[in-house]
Amino acid sequence: MPAFNRRTFMKTGLAGSAFLASLDVALLGSAGAQDGAPKKGGTLSYAQLSANRRSADATNARHPYFIVDANTRLQWNCLTWVDEKLGWQLEAASKVEPTDDKLNVWDVTLREGVLFHNGREMTSEDVASSFAYHRLNAPFARQIVKIEPVSKYVTRFTLEGGNAEFPYILAEYNSVIMPAADAKTIGMDGIGSGPFRIVATDPNRSVIMERFDGYWRKGLPLLDRVEVHNREGQQESALNGLRSGQFDAVLNIDARAAAQFASDAAYDIETAKGGYSFVIQLPKHPGSPFLDKRVRQAFAYAIDRDAIVRIAYGGKYGWVGNDSHLMVTDPAYVVRQGGRDIARARKLLAEAGYPNGITLPTLYWSPQLPEAGRYFQVVQQSAKEAGIVFAIEERPNDGYIQFRTGDNDLSKGNFHKFAMTAVGSRNPGISLFRMRDAFVESGHWRGPEHDQYIALYRQAMVTPDAGKRKAIYAEMQKILHEEVPAILPAGGDTFLVKRKNIRNMPYHPQIWSIRFDEVWKA
Amino acid sequence: MLSAVLRRVFLSLLTLFFLAAFIFAATEILPGDALDVTLSADEMAMMPPERLAEMKRDLGLDRPAVERLGAFLLGVAQLDFGRTIISRAPVVDIVAYPLRNSLLLAGAVIVTALPLALILGVSAARWYRRPLDNVVSTGVIVGYSVPEFVIGTFLVMLFAVTWPLFPATITASTRDPALTLLAAAPLPVATILIGSIAYLARILRVGMVDALASDFVERLRLMGVPEWRVLLLHALPAAVVPSLMATALYAAALVSGIVVVELVFAYPGLGQELVRAVTRREVHVIQAIALASAAIVVVFNLLADLAILALDPRTRM
């Protein structure tokens, strides 16, 4: 009797699999033959590893600011959309244009026939009402000083200054159009004009949606139902759900998991180059050590950015940051000179009055992306080599935005934290504007260099020529390299893993801008 | 009998009162109040005293501790635990469904574990120091020693990934009907079940071995009473009484001790909510969960006491 060993088992198994596969083809036809034509119907169930950082409860879980997944393109529309190459396109709007070359007044014309999930047509009243809310609650929209409905479909936006890249503001994930209502109730019903309407939510946990038949992109979406499950900080649980067939896809897996799944024939990995980085905000409130530029510079020189790329991103999937919000993939990105320099860091600390090193406050982080834990351990350990000592403490994603920023009213003594947050890919105008004094991520950076930075920003925003704007952006980044209002040590690509039968689901450098309209299930 | 029951009910209520006062003191008075716990050390250091005082006033923390304790106990009596510090949502709304879900999970485990542990414990004792006893005893030690997260991960790899028979992670919602949640949770139940059966079978086996070696069993055997009657009708009740209190304590500990399993399977229970509340420093949610857990311990102890009263006439004296 022949021995039944591992080799026999493998051969028998493979022969059996081949037989079953041929039986499948004979009975059902070739799957390849059916691949070309998109198919309607089916449910897409995915796990999100980088969900919304605002804590929701039963009262606000349907609101676009608090919904489980920050990808609000499922349920709502914005006036514009940012595509995979980070160019802007029209979405609910049919026309977006400045009224003159000062670029501070923009007229936005809506498409006709865009319906909300309640069957009512979207009008300029809804646009005005939505942006009245956004300008009070979303940092990017605060530059809007006036919003006026001009006609049924035309809305006029007046900005505090010219902004050549204003259409990108209209595409931000918070900038969705909701049915007009007062500021206290708008958005609470979860009604949008997106391809899917909300049927159920579980605060901070899941959202279930069904196809909206009145969607303005005719014939879309292709899926009947989408289920989103929050598995932040639980990558293994999400991947087990994928392996067991519960999930069709997992969004924002880390580089290690991506490498693991890349060699598995049952799954596809989709990559978004550039992806994400992390900003470490350095609070500059009275008494803060970060008021001294030399301490900030020392910190920037002390961090081993190459080690972060190597350890958190497996080398090839990461890139070194330049302490601006720009991603390495952005053509306007300027490399920060100097690299890691421990001796220089120590010298700067000594000049600042810390010859024996400095102990900083606790640095808070949250698992907004799976690699965050490894990332901030490298930051902590490498800074220690230059005599910069601090504790790191993990906080939950749920409610992190409120925790990190607090109500941040300096006059009341409410200070934001020495803390990180994830930063996504955006156009240079939005990215570089994040270092303004009025924004928490700059740690409320002030002074003549800041004023010069903002003057350059204002100049860029009224410069229609993209090449000239790029030169101004380079100057702005050089100021950041010298001033270090915040530190953005490194970033990495982002990945989604999906089953082979999920089609037409490319990833997006802005994870909140993925469109599921044309995704289908074979 | 009635006075014994009333005495135990009164003692349970008194215990609950002291527990509530202790939880309040531990979370709001020692070493600081809810605000001290909620704010980071850096924030406390940087915040102007007048702003701190204003925040304390907003949260009612400027009132004397006794007055706040009174308000807390009054609230507890009305099942009102106040609102969360960050989102100002009612704590009861946040805790109610996770509590139900954890009780559901624990209930399913107990209902399944008790008969299985009974069969194993009685069988092992009946064939004491024979091969069956050796197998059960070894299995019990293994089942009791292996951490639940290891068992959970093993079960997921086996029954969700290799053979996709059960869900690897719970996608049911917090407010789904009980049966929907239970249908989605065979692996979490199995994970806790293994340790539970091991613990309960061990206790029952010891009780049964003692009972079977006692004089009254010997006398019954000499009288020619059939072995199954000796085992089930005489030895088992005698073994169950001392096991009841341990079982009650175990059942109570189960509810508060399934945090790890809930996290491994993303089960929407009290464990997940507790971890979230602790990391967000939501003191009122922590108080509510701590009190709910304490109440469960007290209730299970009361039930065990009442059962012992019913089964053992000597305790009614």
Side-chain angles (χ1 to χ4, degrees):
Chain A
M1 187 180 152
F4 192 81
N5 55 23
R6 187 167 166 268
R7 182 181 292 272
T8 322
F9 172 74
M10 292 295 285
K11 282 167 77 176
T12 317
L14 288 174
S17 303
F19 171 73
L20 287 174
S22 59
L23 198 66
D24 258 7
V25 172
L27 293 173
L28 306 171
S30 160
Q34 301 169 354
D35 274 1
K39 209 174 88 178
K40 277 202 162 195
T43 298
L44 174 78
S45 178
Y46 73 85
Q48 174 60 278
L49 299 180
S50 180
N52 201 336
R53 256 130 253 156
R54 290 190 175 97
S55 184
D57 56 51
T59 60
N60 61 10
R62 288 175 178 238
H63 191 282
Y65 283 39
F66 298 94
I67 196 100
V68 164
D69 192 349
N71 185 349
T72 47
R73 284 285 178 325
L74 286 152
Q75 308 90 350
W76 290 272
N77 286 127
C78 294
L79 295 168
T80 56
W81 175 64
V82 172
D83 61 27
E84 287 86 354
K85 292 176 182 167
L86 298 185
W88 70 270
Q89 294 185 19
L90 296 165
E91 193 169 78
S94 61
K95 198 160 65 175
V96 176
E97 56 185 16
T99 55
D100 57 39
D101 46 4
K102 288 183 190 163
L103 303 174
N104 67 328
V105 181
W106 290 71
D107 279 349
V108 177
T109 309
L110 282 175
R111 290 175 196 278
E112 292 185 26
V114 176
L115 298 180
F116 285 115
H117 300 154
N118 60 9
R120 189 170 71 68
E121 189 184 12
M122 185 186 288
T123 69
S124 58
E125 293 293 338
D126 302 308
V127 175
S129 183
S130 298
F131 274 92
Y133 180 83
H134 297 322
R135 62 185 289 271
L136 294 176
N137 295 286
F140 300 121
R142 286 192 186 137
Q143 62 187 281
I144 302 166
V145 292
K146 198 160 70 173
I147 315 132
E148 309 157 90
V150 175
S151 66
K152 185 179 177 186
Y153 297 112
V154 179
T155 314
R156 177 162 292 173
F157 290 80
T158 304
L159 313 181
E160 61 185 9
N163 186 348
E165 297 182 8
F166 181 62
Y168 285 97
I169 300 288
L170 302 176
E172 275 297 317
Y173 61 94
N174 279 334
S175 302
V176 301
I177 307 302
M178 306 168 276
D182 63 75
K184 278 188 179 168
T185 58
I186 191 165
M188 291 296 189
D189 53 13
I191 290 177
S193 57
F196 298 95
R197 59 184 183 84
I198 299 169
V199 291
T201 58
D202 192 359
N204 307 314
R205 191 172 158 83
S206 64
V207 56
I208 313 294
M209 292 154 286
E210 285 178 356
R211 185 176 66 216
F212 172 46
D213 291 326
Y215 186 45
W216 59 273
R217 294 184 74 194
K218 297 299 172 203
L220 297 174
L222 297 171
L223 294 162
D224 280 343
R225 189 177 164 93
V226 176
E227 298 180 1
V228 185
H229 299 278
N230 181 5
R231 287 292 181 276
E232 274 183 320
Q234 295 175 292
Q235 180 169 266
E236 276 317 306
S237 168
L239 294 177
N240 283 338
L242 178 78
R243 291 187 188 103
S244 71
Q246 283 179 277
F247 299 137
D248 298 302
V250 180
L251 275 61
N252 292 307
I253 59 170
D254 65 12
R256 288 181 186 192
Q260 206 177 44
F261 276 90
S263 57
D264 192 327
Y267 305 98
D268 286 327
I269 295 286
E270 299 286 346
T271 308
K273 299 301 287 180
Y276 257 107
S277 67
F278 292 107
V279 58
I280 302 173
Q281 57 192 33
L282 309 175
K284 293 165 203 65
H285 50 66
S288 166
F290 299 118
L291 283 172
D292 191 325
K293 183 170 85 178
R294 292 165 298 189
V295 173
R296 306 198 301 264
Q297 288 172 328
F299 195 11
Y301 281 120
I303 295 171
D304 190 344
R305 299 166 195 242
D306 292 323
I308 298 174
V309 170
R310 204 171 53 248
I311 294 167
Y313 297 106
K316 61 181 177 177
Y317 300 117
W319 45 269
V320 167
N322 73 350
D323 297 337
S324 82
H325 285 73
L326 289 183
M327 304 290 140
V328 73
T329 46
D330 196 306
Y333 179 93
V334 175
V335 175
R336 176 182 170 273
Q337 299 301 316
R340 190 183 190 217
D341 192 336
I342 296 282
R344 198 166 172 185
R346 286 191 179 278
K347 186 166 173 279
L348 283 161
L349 282 181
E351 285 170 15
Y354 305 102
N356 300 318
I358 185 171
T359 301
L360 297 176
T362 304
L363 171 64
Y364 297 99
W365 66 279
S366 75
Q368 294 172 24
L369 289 157
E371 68 271 17
R374 291 193 294 276
Y375 189 113
F376 285 94
Q377 278 176 31
V378 179
V379 170
Q380 182 194 35
Q381 291 306 316
S382 59
K384 201 173 170 184
E385 289 174 38
I388 301 173
V389 179
F390 54 91
I392 54 174
E393 187 178 318
E394 183 182 352
R395 304 287 305 192
N397 284 322
D398 176 15
Y400 184 70
I401 193 166
Q402 293 101 321
F403 168 78
R404 178 173 61 86
T405 60
D407 64 3
N408 203 30
D409 184 343
L410 297 179
S411 65
K412 289 180 183 169
N414 295 343
F415 306 122
H416 56 286
K417 309 282 193 301
F418 174 40
M420 59 67 86
T421 193
V423 174
S425 300
R426 287 183 170 89
N427 58 300
I430 288 184
S431 291
L432 295 174
F433 191 50
R434 292 173 81 155
M435 220 57 109
R436 66 192 180 279
D437 63 347
F439 195 47
V440 65
E441 286 174 13
S442 77
H444 297 292
W445 171 43
R446 290 184 175 87
E449 292 83 1
H450 167 267
D451 297 343
Q452 188 193 349
Y453 178 86
I454 289 298
L456 285 167
Y457 168 79
R458 302 266 178 238
Q459 187 189 336
M461 289 299 97
V462 292
T463 303
D465 182 87
K468 287 180 183 165
R469 279 211 304 275
K470 189 179 167 187
I472 301 171
Y473 293 147
E475 267 188 79
M476 293 172 74
Q477 287 169 79
K478 280 179 189 155
I479 295 176
L480 296 181
H481 298 168
E482 173 62 22
E483 277 288 303
V484 200
I487 295 182
L488 291 96
D493 302 339
T494 43
F495 310 90
L496 74 77
V497 55
K498 64 178 182 63
R499 302 184 154 275
K500 287 273 185 199
N501 66 331
I502 304 301
R503 305 293 163 84
N504 213 10
M505 190 177 174
Y507 212 20
H508 196 299
Q510 296 189 339
I511 61 162
W512 59 90
S513 293
I514 309 171
R515 275 183 167 168
F516 290 81
D517 302 21
E518 293 169 47
V519 176
W520 59 284
K521 215 170 171 179
Chain B
M1 172 79 173
L2 184 64
S3 67
V5 170
L6 289 176
R7 193 167 62 241
R8 278 165 175 78
V9 170
F10 173 75
L11 281 174
S12 297
L13 288 173
L14 195 66
T15 309
L16 261 181
F17 171 81
F18 281 120
L19 278 170
F22 175 76
I23 288 167
F24 175 83
T27 50
E28 290 215 30
I29 298 174
L30 302 171
D33 56 32
L35 199 59
D36 297 333
V37 181
T38 305
L39 295 176
S40 69
D42 303 332
E43 277 176 318
M44 290 296 285
M46 298 308 303
M47 193 165 282
E50 60 273 19
R51 174 63 185 145
L52 207 57
E54 188 187 326
M55 289 178 79
K56 280 180 190 271
R57 204 164 44 247
D58 290 347
L59 290 168
L61 298 172
D62 57 336
R63 293 177 295 160
V66 177
E67 192 183 323
R68 283 189 286 136
L69 174 62
F72 174 74
L73 292 175
L74 197 66
V76 168
Q78 298 165 339
L79 292 181
D80 177 7
F81 292 89
R83 289 175 178 269
T84 58
I85 291 172
I86 294 176
S87 65
R88 310 301 299 157
V91 170
V92 168
D93 288 358
I94 289 172
V95 170
Y97 276 93
L99 174 63
R100 180 206 66 166
N101 299 343
S102 288
L103 285 173
L104 205 63
L105 192 59
V109 169
I110 291 166
V111 165
T112 323
L114 276 177
L116 290 174
L118 212 63
I119 292 168
L120 286 176
V122 170
S123 306
R126 168 67 182 81
W127 287 282
Y128 182 53
R129 289 190 175 166
R130 307 266 284 275
L132 180 69
D133 182 33
N134 292 338
V135 169
V136 170
S137 298
T138 310
V140 156
I141 289 170
V142 172
Y144 192 61
S145 318
V146 181
E148 280 167 339
F149 74 89
V150 175
I151 297 174
T153 308
F154 177 74
L155 291 178
V156 165
M157 293 317 292
L158 207 61
F159 296 113
V161 175
T162 309
W163 297 299
L165 300 172
F166 303 112
T169 177
I170 310 295
T171 53
S173 291
T174 313
R175 296 182 179 215
D176 271 349
L179 285 178
T180 308
L181 265 174
L182 277 183
L187 291 186
V189 169
T191 303
I192 312 169
L193 199 58
I194 290 171
S196 303
I197 291 173
Y199 177 81
L200 296 172
R202 196 162 141 255
I203 290 173
L204 271 166
R205 177 186 164 279
V206 172
M208 280 296 286
V209 167
D210 283 350
L212 288 172
S214 63
D215 292 345
F216 81 92
V217 167
E218 190 62 31
R219 193 180 178 85
L220 288 167
R221 279 178 176 150
L222 289 171
M223 287 166 65
V225 176
E227 187 63 17
W228 70 267
R229 284 186 69 97
V230 172
L231 207 64
L232 299 179
L233 300 183
H234 299 282
L236 185 58
V240 160
V241 171
S243 310
L244 264 175
M245 195 50 79
T247 308
L249 281 174
Y250 181 74
L254 203 59
V255 177
S256 50
I258 54 181
V259 177
V260 175
V261 175
E262 290 186 357
L263 288 175
V264 169
F265 291 97
Y267 184 84
L270 218 49
Q272 282 218 326
E273 209 51 63
L274 179 64
V275 170
R276 187 180 290 147
V278 169
T279 49
R280 294 176 64 197
R281 305 178 185 202
E282 278 292 358
V283 175
H284 297 151
V285 178
I286 297 168
Q287 285 173 340
I289 293 175
L291 199 59
S293 303
I296 291 164
V297 175
V298 170
V299 167
F300 272 104
N301 270 296
L302 178 64
L303 289 176
D305 272 351
L306 297 180
I308 291 167
L309 272 177
L311 288 171
D312 188 352
R314 290 170 300 175
T315 57
R316 294 171 210 159
M317 305 298 284

